[in-house]
């Protein structure tokens, strides 16, 4: 049974999007030669933290890198009502990072692998440069 990502709850999209992105980042780090476990975790946090994800999505929105449908998915994710917010991040960063994760989850569940790959590469490149 295939799930329609357009009908799925934004927090469910974010749940799968976070997992996909985290796996991508871990693979990226190992492929780049960073293989010590402690090192891997420290580097991974730089890419997958809520603040980093919020910065990425702000950059994409500022640079108009998203299609209208993608921006709508981000807004849905950003506006999703979560019953908790981590203590170590602002509400605004948390909401934008949820939008980032929802967008990746949307493309993953839509099986739009080329665009998903492109966005994850853009995200990692943005963190590498900044």
């Amino acid at each position: 049974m295939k799930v329609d990502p357009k009908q799925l709850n934004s927090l469910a999209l974010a749940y799968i999007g976070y997992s996909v992105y985290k796996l991508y980042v871990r693979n990226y780090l190992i492929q780049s030669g960073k293989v010590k476990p402690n090192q891997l975790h420290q580097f991974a946090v730089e890419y997958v933290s809520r603040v980093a994800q919020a910065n990425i999505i702000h950059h994409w929105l500022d640079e108009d890198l998203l299609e209208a449908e993608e921006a709508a998915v981000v807004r849905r994710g950003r506006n999703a009502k979560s019953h908790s917010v981590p203590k170590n991040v602002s509400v605004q960063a948390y909401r934008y990072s949820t939008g980032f994760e929802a967008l990746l989850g949307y493309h993953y569940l839509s099986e739009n692998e080329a665009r998903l790959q492109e966005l994850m590469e853009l995200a990692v490149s943005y963190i590498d440069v900044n």
Side-chain angles (χ1 to χ4, degrees), residues 23-39:
L23 180 60
Y24 178 85
V25 165
R26 288 177 176 195
N27 185 52
Y28 170 78
L29 292 173
I30 288 174
Q31 296 300 324
S32 66
K34 297 173 177 76
V35 294
K36 294 181 180 175
N38 190 38
Q39 241 185 359

Side-chain angles (χ1 to χ4, degrees), residues 21-22 25-26 29 39-49:
Y21 182 59
K22 191 165 127 179
V25 165
R26 288 177 176 195
L29 292 173
Q39 241 185 359
L40 281 171
H41 178 71
Q42 290 172 349
F43 284 119
V45 167
E46 292 178 29
Y47 293 89
V48 301
S49 74

